[in-house]
């Protein structure tokens, strides 16, 4: 299995910045991608950003130009740097890791989540 532990959430004022971290452990050698999803109360979970094993990135339109996803392979950690935060960014942010396998569909692993609150 793959274990994911998030950190870095908290309370920040609009226009501020936060950096989320996700440390992966376990059977991580076959990970194809890692990313961040978020879910606010009463809303569906949405993809925020993803980074592949080839270092390709993809972002939700709502965060393009403000958020940056990156990773440190030596530390088995993925980061989400969030700038110019808005109240609508308030949500629980979950780290995701996708593992490919030759005998079936990919498998998704999820962290427990970290709360990000943007409020004055």
């Amino acid at each position: 299995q793959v274990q994911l532990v998030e950190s870095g959430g908290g309370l920040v004022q609009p226009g501020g910045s936060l950096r989320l971290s996700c440390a992966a452990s376990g059977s991580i050698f076959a990970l194809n991608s890692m990313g961040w999803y978020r879910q606010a109360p009463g809303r569906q979970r949405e993809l925020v950003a993803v980074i592949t094993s080839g270092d390709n990135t993809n972002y939700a339109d709502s965060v393009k130009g403000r958020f940056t996803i990156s990773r440190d392979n030596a530390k088995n950690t993925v980061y989400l740097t969030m700038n110019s935060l808005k109240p609508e960014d308030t949500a629980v942010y979950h780290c995701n890791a996708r593992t490919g396998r030759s005998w079936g569909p990919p498998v998704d692993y999820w962290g427990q989540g970290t709360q990000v609150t943007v409020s004055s």
Side-chain angles (χ1 to χ4, degrees), residues 85-100:
L85 283 162
K86 304 175 180 179
E88 51 262 44
D89 295 318
T90 297
V92 176
Y93 285 70
H94 292 269
C95 183
N96 165 266
R98 173 162 287 188
T99 302

Side-chain angles (χ1 to χ4, degrees), residues 13-81:
Q13 293 184 344
S17 299
L18 284 174
R19 188 184 74 167
L20 306 183
S21 299
C22 175
S25 61
S27 302
I28 62 176
F29 301 104
L31 291 178
N32 290 340
S33 65
M34 296 185 69
W36 292 92
Y37 291 73
R38 66 186 181 187
Q39 186 169 25
R43 296 186 177 183
Q44 291 183 287
R45 184 177 64 188
E46 65 173 343
L47 173 69
V48 178
V50 63
I51 185 167
T52 70
S53 60
D55 289 329
N56 296 121
T57 58
N58 191 39
Y59 299 90
D61 289 340
S62 60
V63 307
K64 286 181 179 178
R66 300 188 297 119
F67 291 10
T68 302
I69 188 169
S70 60
R71 66 184 181 190
D72 185 338
N73 290 333
K75 297 181 178 180
N76 298 319
T77 300
V78 64
Y79 304 95
L80 184 67
T81 302

Side-chain angles (χ1 to χ4, degrees), residues 3-7 21-25 36 77-78 95 110-114:
Q3 295 82 44
L4 304 173
V5 180
E6 304 106 326
S7 62
S21 299
C22 175
S25 61
W36 292 92
T77 300
V78 64
C95 183
W110 298 92
Q112 292 299 305
T114 184

Side-chain angles (χ1 to χ4, degrees), residues 11-17 83-89 117-120:
L11 174 65
V12 65
Q13 293 184 344
S17 299
N83 298 315
S84 301
L85 283 162
K86 304 175 180 179
E88 51 262 44
D89 295 318
T117 302
V118 185
S119 176
S120 60

